[in-house]
Amino acid sequence: MSEERPSGDPIRVLVWGENRHEVLEPHVAELYPEGMHTTIAEGLRRVLGPSVEVRTATLDEPEHGLDEQALEWADVLTWWGHKAHREVQDEVVDRVQQQVLSGLGLLVLHSGHFSKIFRRLMGTTCSLSWRNDGRQERVWTVDPGHPIAEGVPNPIRIDKQEMYGEFFDIPAPDELVFISSFEGGEVFRSGCTFRRGNGRIFYFSPGDQEYPVYDHPDVQRVIANGVRWARDPRGERRLPGLRRVAERSVW
Amino acid sequence: MSEERPSGDPIRVLVWGENRHEVLEPHVAELYPEGMHTTIAEGLRRVLGPSVEVRTATLDEPEHGLDEQALEWADVLTWWGHKAHREVQDEVVDRVQQQVLSGLGLLVLHSGHFSKIFRRLMGTTCSLSWRNDGRQERVWTVDPGHPIAEGVPNPIRIDKQEMYGEFFDIPAPDELVFISSFEGGEVFRSGCTFRRGNGRIFYFSPGDQEYPVYDHPDVQRVIANGVRWARDPRGERRLPGLRRVAERSVW
Amino acid sequence: MSEERPSGDPIRVLVWGENRHEVLEPHVAELYPEGMHTTIAEGLRRVLGPSVEVRTATLDEPEHGLDEQALEWADVLTWWGHKAHREVQDEVVDRVQQQVLSGLGLLVLHSGHFSKIFRRLMGTTCSLSWRNDGRQERVWTVDPGHPIAEGVPNPIRIDKQEMYGEFFDIPAPDELVFISSFEGGEVFRSGCTFRRGNGRIFYFSPGDQEYPVYDHPDVQRVIANGVRWARDPRGERRLPGLRRVAERSVW
Amino acid sequence: MSEERPSGDPIRVLVWGENRHEVLEPHVAELYPEGMHTTIAEGLRRVLGPSVEVRTATLDEPEHGLDEQALEWADVLTWWGHKAHREVQDEVVDRVQQQVLSGLGLLVLHSGHFSKIFRRLMGTTCSLSWRNDGRQERVWTVDPGHPIAEGVPNPIRIDKQEMYGEFFDIPAPDELVFISSFEGGEVFRSGCTFRRGNGRIFYFSPGDQEYPVYDHPDVQRVIANGVRWARDPRGERRLPGLRRVAERSVW
């Protein structure tokens, strides 16, 4: 169990990035010269200022930068991966799952829908339809009272994006916050929340490596809102466990 | 309490139509010469054959054709209204609400979102965005295992329709079955289920008086599926009531 | 639309009480000499300190103390009523409903389940089973990560309470936070959240006029948590409305 | 993809039992001389008659009796396991998960909450509180309009049962049908539905090996209702998959 921290303390966010496209593909490196994780981290600092502390970690670090200590430090973990989902070690996935069920907040971004950790937490295939034609996506708010939609225009317009369409094979979300439309006529449940154990999970689909989506101020705002929402206010970590209740209490 | 009927008996559907546009506006009368209610009723008979018995009722009949006996007869009521929502008498709305809470299935179609009965059952404004430009709507299935989506192509294409867009001010539906996209880029939660009391409610948005939407075989199929889903299999009507439990039972 | 206020400002709570039992029945007056609303208000001040501003209002005030200005002032309204539900004027109920749908938080307490405003917002009968035998209620947390359950023992034990049992005729709650058990073996969904329009509603069943339930520190804690949860962080009031979207935007 | 079968055909149910307690422990063998799976199978035949075809399978059969052909045959699988969860081979769990996501219905019974397959599909620990003191359980219906509650008394009384209590670490169920109370005052969400992929899952907690719970006619009725509900009416099996949409369609 981690030490308890007052809920007024800065939110500690660990931004995890696969960091492969950015290294291997020049046109991605041009958009994200220090990696998408760096851009996401900067967006959080820009929107949340001193109320956030941000660190980053990437696949090629030892234990993918996700050792026990790093996860204990964080209140919220954000996850972007794509081409190297399979390289993520199963024991690290186990560890992240335990932490999420214990209260670590988790934001899963774009192609992270197919990550081991998201599929593990959802129990489904998390498959979807897609087409990468770099056309416009509009993100519509369908739950305007939700804290994740605070201060977000309706719709957000993202000029160039990959299309993600239904059927998206996820459990029915606990809350559906955003639905996207695409120029080809498709729709997608693009902002979904889930509670699992003591943890809160937010899936947000905008953000392909081929377009500067994480520079978009409204996308940054949604991610910042998501981080605030996903933080467990109790600031402690507890894995739900089997509990034998020894004695029957008397009424 | 109505007599009990075996669940293998034909489903009794009462198709209610406001029947004003069809009478007052020649271009609507051309599309629906015997009224939209007649077209909807015929669609049900076409898809469900002998497993359905259909009657119709309209606003200008005594008690709007919705007297106690008509409602007791029906397993499911479908509702289309638009320009004359206010003319529906409050006591008839009370009666329909009591019947729905007692187990009468209810399908609310298109502009019925603003009917007294739907607003009464939802508790919200049921407002939305709209634009009548007669362009294409696509209806996407987001819950392919749902019985209401059975046999329905993904997407359904409706060539000419009014646009209905978010924010649609309804309670979060119990199940979200369809999401529509529109040529202008909007999205809409177009197929939603709700349980209220012992009754099942399905809201389905396609269907404007200015376009022949109720002639569309896939729209007819969805409405037929909705009718089957909304029927209470127990075939009896019971309003949930306050129950004093006189004695504490001994463990 | 009310003026916008920073979310760091104190939460403004209007505690509404019917205040009839306390006046008419000596054994209730003994428990709640200044009315249940006063005890509830004091509990909020005790738990939330300077982060809350509390006012009270009662049935016998002009407009039941719920004029436009009082409702505009409040971030959250709490509602306790029982024997005089019918005396609440329909136009005040209309006004409260509009405010809730516009973003006013609402806590409905105990016998408030049968108030006009709760039934109006739910669309159902809100009926239940009951027996007043003054025995123990235990309130179990079934969503330990929910902010309304923060700092609450599992279970809360309330020595003497009226029994409220299922079937409770409400829409399926958006979130189920608490389930109660009773000495007679009954169960009840005792802590339920609902979103309606821009407003958040929390129903919490403990609290009968015949027992000092609102003096119970854990009950006070739940109500305080509920108030914090129900406050709209945006601090403005907007009723969702019909919006005509004049022009189709170009992709 | 399995052959399509008309929905009027008998439901094919595969009742899976661990069958260890019944073999190793005389007092269990006395209650269930042919194994719990046999009793469950007989209950289904008793309630559903010719509308069901039932087979059984157990842990010690090759591939636990759950080879591809057996799973393809079945419309619904019921699962009871307890002391040997770990002996279930991971590749069989993979196979069952694929089938459920493809449309195989699944009923998870009692201690099956801790089976690999249920934890896999839920993504959580599925832990709970428990005490085996053989006292009464009451199963209360909180969704009387649900087909799984059809014909079930409220409450069901089970004279001797193990206590299962909250917190039950599952995702919020799509539908909560039953809540149980126990003589020690605990509560438990004892009847929960979940949709995953194309499959429907029903968890039902009554049923310990030490008590003749599966001989109880109301328990048999719930399981039979669950089987009918969990059957995919489309009678085909399809795993949701990644779909590349090659061309952008023209509006």
Side-chain angles (χ1 to χ4, degrees):
Chain A
M1 191 179 293
S2 59
E3 82 196 290
E4 206 166 318
R5 293 187 310 116
S7 70
D9 279 13
I11 308 171
R12 293 170 176 172
V13 184
L14 184 58
V15 173
W16 191 85
E18 186 183 279
N19 199 32
R20 284 284 169 83
H21 293 279
E22 304 94 315
V23 169
L24 298 172
E25 299 170 39
H27 68 290
V28 179
E30 218 166 291
L31 290 172
Y32 296 110
E34 299 180 70
M36 301 169 78
H37 52 285
T38 305
T39 305
I40 293 167
E42 282 166 2
L44 285 170
R45 289 189 195 104
R46 187 186 67 75
V47 179
L48 296 175
S51 68
V52 75
E53 261 183 78
V54 189
R55 293 181 186 171
T56 62
T58 56
L59 181 66
D60 289 329
E61 297 176 31
E63 302 187 52
H64 315 318
L66 298 170
D67 56 33
E68 202 68 60
Q69 204 181 341
L71 294 173
E72 285 286 342
W73 173 83
D75 295 314
V76 179
L77 173 68
T78 75
W79 193 280
W80 195 100
H82 182 227
K83 65 185 296 173
H85 290 317
R86 283 182 216 170
E87 293 180 44
V88 178
Q89 297 161 43
D90 286 335
E91 66 189 77
V92 173
V93 177
D94 291 344
R95 188 188 297 154
V96 174
Q97 183 182 21
Q98 300 287 305
Q99 287 284 349
V100 171
L101 298 178
S102 302
L104 175 67
L106 179 67
L107 265 66
V108 176
L109 301 174
H110 190 62
S111 45
H113 75 91
F114 238 34
S115 62
K116 287 182 179 177
I117 182 61
F118 191 59
R119 298 171 78 168
R120 181 82 70 85
L121 285 161
M122 296 295 106
T124 57
T125 67
C126 299
S127 56
L128 45 72
S129 297
W130 64 281
R131 178 184 60 247
N132 191 355
D133 55 0
R135 293 185 175 262
Q136 200 180 98
E137 173 175 357
R138 297 185 193 166
V139 184
W140 299 87
T141 296
V142 297
D143 189 354
H146 199 285
I148 295 180
E150 203 185 328
V152 171
N154 194 10
I156 302 173
R157 284 163 198 262
I158 302 172
D159 282 340
K160 286 172 176 292
Q161 244 291 66
E162 185 179 32
M163 184 280 287
Y164 271 15
E166 297 285 342
F167 172 63
F168 184 21
D169 179 28
I170 49 171
D174 292 340
E175 297 163 315
L176 180 60
V177 185
F178 302 117
I179 296 174
S180 287
S181 63
F182 295 86
E183 213 174 319
E186 292 87 359
V187 298
F188 193 67
R189 288 170 291 169
S190 51
C192 299
T193 77
F194 306 90
R195 297 261 183 98
R196 292 297 182 266
N198 287 306
R200 299 171 191 201
I201 301 165
F202 175 53
Y203 175 77
F204 186 55
S205 68
D208 192 75
Q209 73 277 3
E210 310 216 347
Y211 314 103
V213 177
Y214 293 118
D215 291 314
H216 193 303
D218 297 327
V219 169
Q220 291 182 356
R221 168 55 90 115
V222 170
I223 295 172
N225 287 347
V227 157
R228 285 197 297 193
W229 171 85
R231 177 207 216 167
D232 187 335
R234 290 161 309 180
E236 53 160 355
R237 226 36 81 70
R238 282 173 312 179
L239 185 67
L242 210 59
R243 295 164 305 282
R244 185 175 185 176
V245 184
E247 300 244 343
R248 186 167 57 95
S249 84
V250 180
W251 273 105
Chain B
M1 192 178 292
S2 58
E3 80 195 292
E4 207 166 317
R5 293 188 309 117
S7 69
D9 279 13
I11 309 171
R12 294 170 176 173
V13 185
L14 183 58
V15 174
W16 191 86
E18 185 183 279
N19 199 32
R20 285 283 169 83
H21 294 278
E22 303 93 315
V23 169
L24 299 172
E25 300 170 37
H27 68 290
V28 179
E30 218 166 292
L31 290 172
Y32 296 111
E34 298 182 69
M36 301 170 78
H37 53 284
T38 305
T39 305
I40 293 168
E42 281 166 2
L44 285 169
R45 289 189 195 102
R46 188 187 66 77
V47 179
L48 296 175
S51 68
V52 74
E53 261 183 79
V54 189
R55 294 182 186 171
T56 61
T58 54
L59 181 66
D60 289 329
E61 297 176 32
E63 302 188 51
H64 315 318
L66 299 170
D67 57 33
E68 203 68 60
Q69 205 181 341
L71 295 173
E72 285 286 343
W73 173 84
D75 295 314
V76 179
L77 173 68
T78 75
W79 193 280
W80 195 101
H82 182 227
K83 64 185 297 172
H85 290 317
R86 283 183 215 168
E87 294 181 43
V88 177
Q89 298 161 43
D90 287 334
E91 66 189 78
V92 173
V93 177
D94 291 344
R95 188 187 296 153
V96 175
Q97 182 182 21
Q98 301 286 305
Q99 288 283 350
V100 171
L101 298 178
S102 303
L104 174 68
L106 178 68
L107 264 67
V108 176
L109 301 173
H110 191 61
S111 44
H113 75 90
F114 238 34
S115 62
K116 287 181 180 177
I117 183 61
F118 191 58
R119 298 171 79 168
R120 180 82 70 85
L121 285 160
M122 296 294 106
T124 57
T125 68
C126 299
S127 55
L128 45 72
S129 296
W130 64 281
R131 179 185 58 248
N132 191 354
D133 55 1
R135 294 184 175 263
Q136 200 181 98
E137 172 174 357
R138 296 186 192 165
V139 184
W140 299 87
T141 296
V142 297
D143 188 354
H146 198 285
I148 295 179
E150 203 184 329
V152 171
N154 194 9
I156 302 173
R157 286 164 198 260
I158 302 172
D159 282 340
K160 286 171 176 292
Q161 244 290 66
E162 185 179 32
M163 185 280 288
Y164 270 15
E166 298 284 342
F167 172 61
F168 184 20
D169 180 27
I170 49 171
D174 292 340
E175 298 164 314
L176 179 61
V177 185
F178 302 116
I179 296 174
S180 287
S181 63
F182 295 86
E183 213 174 318
E186 291 87 359
V187 298
F188 193 67
R189 289 170 291 168
S190 51
C192 300
T193 76
F194 306 89
R195 297 260 183 98
R196 292 297 182 267
N198 286 307
R200 301 171 190 201
I201 302 165
F202 175 53
Y203 175 77
F204 186 54
S205 67
D208 193 75
Q209 74 277 4
E210 309 217 347
Y211 314 104
V213 177
Y214 294 118
D215 291 315
H216 193 303
D218 298 328
V219 168
Q220 291 182 354
R221 168 55 90 115
V222 170
I223 294 172
N225 287 346
V227 156
R228 285 198 296 193
W229 171 86
R231 177 206 216 167
D232 187 333
R234 291 161 307 182
E236 53 160 354
R237 228 34 80 71
R238 282 171 311 176
L239 185 67
L242 210 59
R243 294 164 305 282
R244 185 174 185 175
V245 184
E247 300 244 343
R248 185 166 57 94
S249 83
V250 179
W251 273 104
Chain C
M1 191 179 295
S2 58
E3 83 197 288
E4 208 166 316
R5 294 187 309 116
S7 71
D9 279 12
I11 309 170
R12 294 169 177 173
V13 184
L14 183 59
V15 174
W16 192 85
E18 184 184 280
N19 198 34
R20 284 284 170 83
H21 293 279
E22 303 94 314
V23 169
L24 299 171
E25 300 171 36
H27 68 289
V28 179
E30 219 167 289
L31 291 171
Y32 296 111
E34 300 181 69
M36 301 171 77
H37 52 285
T38 306
T39 304
I40 292 167
E42 282 166 3
L44 285 169
R45 290 189 195 104
R46 187 187 66 75
V47 179
L48 296 175
S51 68
V52 75
E53 260 184 79
V54 189
R55 294 181 187 172
T56 62
T58 56
L59 180 66
D60 289 329
E61 298 175 31
E63 301 188 51
H64 314 319
L66 299 170
D67 56 34
E68 203 67 62
Q69 204 182 342
L71 294 174
E72 284 286 342
W73 172 84
D75 295 313
V76 179
L77 172 69
T78 74
W79 193 280
W80 195 101
H82 182 226
K83 64 185 297 172
H85 290 318
R86 283 182 216 170
E87 293 180 42
V88 177
Q89 298 161 42
D90 286 335
E91 66 189 77
V92 173
V93 177
D94 291 345
R95 187 188 297 154
V96 174
Q97 183 182 19
Q98 300 286 307
Q99 288 283 348
V100 170
L101 298 178
S102 301
L104 174 68
L106 179 67
L107 265 65
V108 175
L109 301 174
H110 190 62
S111 44
H113 75 91
F114 238 35
S115 62
K116 287 182 179 176
I117 182 61
F118 191 57
R119 298 172 78 169
R120 181 82 69 85
L121 285 160
M122 296 294 106
T124 58
T125 68
C126 299
S127 57
L128 45 72
S129 297
W130 64 282
R131 179 184 58 247
N132 191 354
D133 56 358
R135 293 184 176 265
Q136 201 180 97
E137 173 174 357
R138 296 186 193 165
V139 183
W140 299 86
T141 297
V142 297
D143 189 353
H146 199 285
I148 295 180
E150 203 185 328
V152 171
N154 193 10
I156 303 173
R157 284 164 199 261
I158 302 172
D159 282 341
K160 284 171 178 294
Q161 244 291 67
E162 186 179 31
M163 185 281 287
Y164 271 15
E166 297 285 342
F167 172 61
F168 184 21
D169 179 27
I170 49 171
D174 292 340
E175 298 164 314
L176 179 60
V177 185
F178 302 116
I179 296 174
S180 287
S181 64
F182 295 86
E183 214 174 319
E186 292 87 359
V187 298
F188 193 68
R189 288 170 291 169
S190 51
C192 299
T193 76
F194 306 89
R195 297 260 183 98
R196 292 297 182 267
N198 286 306
R200 300 171 189 200
I201 302 165
F202 175 53
Y203 175 77
F204 186 55
S205 67
D208 192 75
Q209 73 278 4
E210 309 217 346
Y211 314 103
V213 177
Y214 292 118
D215 291 313
H216 193 304
D218 298 327
V219 169
Q220 292 182 354
R221 167 56 89 118
V222 169
I223 295 172
N225 286 347
V227 156
R228 285 199 295 194
W229 171 85
R231 177 208 215 165
D232 186 333
R234 292 161 308 181
E236 52 161 355
R237 228 34 83 69
R238 281 173 311 178
L239 185 67
L242 210 59
R243 294 164 305 284
R244 184 174 185 175
V245 183
E247 300 246 342
R248 186 168 56 95
S249 83
V250 180
W251 273 104
Chain D
M1 191 178 296
S2 58
E3 82 196 289
E4 206 166 318
R5 294 188 308 116
S7 69
D9 279 13
I11 309 171
R12 294 170 176 173
V13 185
L14 184 58
V15 174
W16 192 85
E18 185 184 280
N19 199 32
R20 285 284 169 85
H21 293 279
E22 303 94 314
V23 169
L24 298 172
E25 300 171 37
H27 68 288
V28 178
E30 219 166 288
L31 290 172
Y32 296 110
E34 299 181 69
M36 300 170 77
H37 52 284
T38 306
T39 305
I40 293 167
E42 282 166 3
L44 285 170
R45 289 187 196 104
R46 188 187 66 76
V47 180
L48 296 175
S51 68
V52 75
E53 261 183 80
V54 190
R55 294 181 186 171
T56 63
T58 55
L59 181 67
D60 289 329
E61 297 175 30
E63 302 188 52
H64 314 319
L66 298 170
D67 56 33
E68 204 66 63
Q69 204 181 341
L71 295 174
E72 285 286 344
W73 173 84
D75 294 314
V76 179
L77 173 68
T78 74
W79 194 279
W80 195 102
H82 182 226
K83 65 185 296 172
H85 290 318
R86 283 182 216 170
E87 293 180 43
V88 177
Q89 297 161 43
D90 286 335
E91 66 189 76
V92 174
V93 177
D94 291 346
R95 187 188 297 153
V96 175
Q97 183 183 19
Q98 299 287 305
Q99 288 283 350
V100 171
L101 298 178
S102 302
L104 174 68
L106 179 67
L107 264 65
V108 176
L109 301 174
H110 190 62
S111 44
H113 75 90
F114 238 34
S115 62
K116 287 181 178 176
I117 183 61
F118 191 57
R119 297 171 78 168
R120 180 81 71 83
L121 286 161
M122 297 293 107
T124 57
T125 68
C126 300
S127 56
L128 46 72
S129 297
W130 63 282
R131 179 185 59 248
N132 191 354
D133 56 359
R135 293 185 175 263
Q136 200 181 98
E137 172 174 357
R138 295 186 193 165
V139 184
W140 299 87
T141 296
V142 297
D143 189 353
H146 199 284
I148 296 180
E150 202 183 330
V152 171
N154 194 10
I156 302 172
R157 285 164 197 261
I158 302 171
D159 282 340
K160 286 172 176 293
Q161 244 290 67
E162 186 179 33
M163 185 281 288
Y164 271 14
E166 297 286 341
F167 173 62
F168 184 21
D169 179 28
I170 49 171
D174 292 340
E175 298 164 313
L176 179 60
V177 185
F178 301 116
I179 297 173
S180 287
S181 63
F182 295 87
E183 213 174 319
E186 292 87 359
V187 298
F188 193 67
R189 288 170 291 169
S190 51
C192 300
T193 77
F194 306 89
R195 297 259 183 98
R196 292 296 182 267
N198 286 307
R200 301 171 189 200
I201 302 165
F202 175 53
Y203 176 77
F204 186 54
S205 67
D208 193 75
Q209 73 277 4
E210 309 217 347
Y211 314 104
V213 177
Y214 293 117
D215 291 315
H216 193 304
D218 298 327
V219 169
Q220 292 182 354
R221 167 55 90 117
V222 170
I223 294 172
N225 286 347
V227 156
R228 285 198 296 192
W229 171 86
R231 177 207 215 165
D232 187 333
R234 291 161 308 181
E236 52 162 352
R237 228 34 82 70
R238 282 172 311 177
L239 186 66
L242 210 58
R243 294 164 306 281
R244 184 174 186 176
V245 183
E247 300 244 342
R248 186 166 57 95
S249 83
V250 180
W251 273 105

